[in-house]
Amino acid sequence: MRIVVAEDLYLLRDGMVRLLEAYGHQVVATATTGPETLDALLTQRPDVAVVDVRMPPTQSDEGLRAALDARRRLPGLPILILSQHVEQLYARELLADGTGGIGYFLKESVFDADQFVDALERVAGGGTAMDPAVIAKLLSSGSSNRRLERLTEREHDVLGLMAEGLSNQAVGQRLFLSESAISKHTTSIFGKLGITDDGNNNRRVLAVLTYLNNA
């Protein structure tokens, strides 16, 4: 994959570059400020980008705003936000366009290289990779959704794990259910959320975006 890394801390940025290159990926650009991030995303059009939230010049939300701006200009541009903070409003805005290719991880939740690279690859493929802590924050501030209220408790559990980016097999292992049982749950979820298979949309991504937007 061609990857842009936007992170202002040298050791973390350099460590990610070395890690990604060790996995056979190409880091085509790095950025240390919000404006540099936007320029790199628009110029390089990477397969996926890793973007910090708080970057110079003000150390507020420059990285996330650059990601949003880039996604507006390049719809569907895959972005994995990697931050110490959950910015709920901007996170919802990232999810709102419904195109997928979005991840949001807290730095403290990344425990090994395989987990991180797997998340990047899922996002690059148009899926989602959401930190459970980020999911909890988004849901705690969301409005009610009548379609979501139709889901059973188990279906909520399945959809929450889907939002983390887990496959049916992995969801089944987490919930101690068979893969066929998870498949039945996901089919029920799609039906209750009114998500049809039209051959163009990824139903898992649409279901997850409905869940996370919760509106």
Side-chain angles (χ1 to χ4, degrees), residues 73-85:
R73 302 191 201 188
L74 301 172
L77 178 68
I79 301 283
L80 174 62
I81 299 296
L82 185 63
S83 177
Q84 292 177 305
H85 312 278

Side-chain angles (χ1 to χ4, degrees), residues 126-161:
T128 61
M130 304 298 291
D131 191 310
V134 175
I135 294 173
K137 280 277 191 180
L138 291 174
L139 295 182
S140 68
S141 64
S143 58
S144 63
N145 182 325
R146 290 185 178 179
R147 289 184 298 169
L148 289 177
E149 290 171 356
R150 299 173 191 163
L151 303 184
T152 65
E153 182 177 353
R154 178 60 79 190
E155 288 166 350
H156 273 284
D157 293 338
V158 170
L159 191 47
L161 293 174

Side-chain angles (χ1 to χ4, degrees), residues 10-90:
Y10 168 75
L11 287 178
L12 183 54
R13 183 178 66 255
D14 187 64
M16 281 194 286
V17 170
R18 292 173 183 268
L19 169 65
L20 295 169
E21 290 178 343
Y23 272 73
H25 300 301
Q26 179 186 9
V27 176
V28 294
T30 61
T32 61
T33 69
E36 285 181 5
T37 300
L38 179 59
D39 181 67
L41 294 176
L42 296 179
T43 302
Q44 298 294 334
R45 300 191 176 206
D47 297 318
V48 66
V50 184
V51 180
D52 190 11
V53 170
R54 299 186 178 182
M55 301 180 72
T58 67
Q59 290 291 349
S60 56
D61 53 13
E62 283 89 343
L64 197 42
R65 284 192 287 109
L68 282 167
D69 195 355
R71 291 262 298 189
R72 281 191 287 267
R73 302 191 201 188
L74 301 172
L77 178 68
I79 301 283
L80 174 62
I81 299 296
L82 185 63
S83 177
Q84 292 177 305
H85 312 278
V86 180
E87 300 288 347
Q88 296 180 36
L89 178 62
Y90 289 129

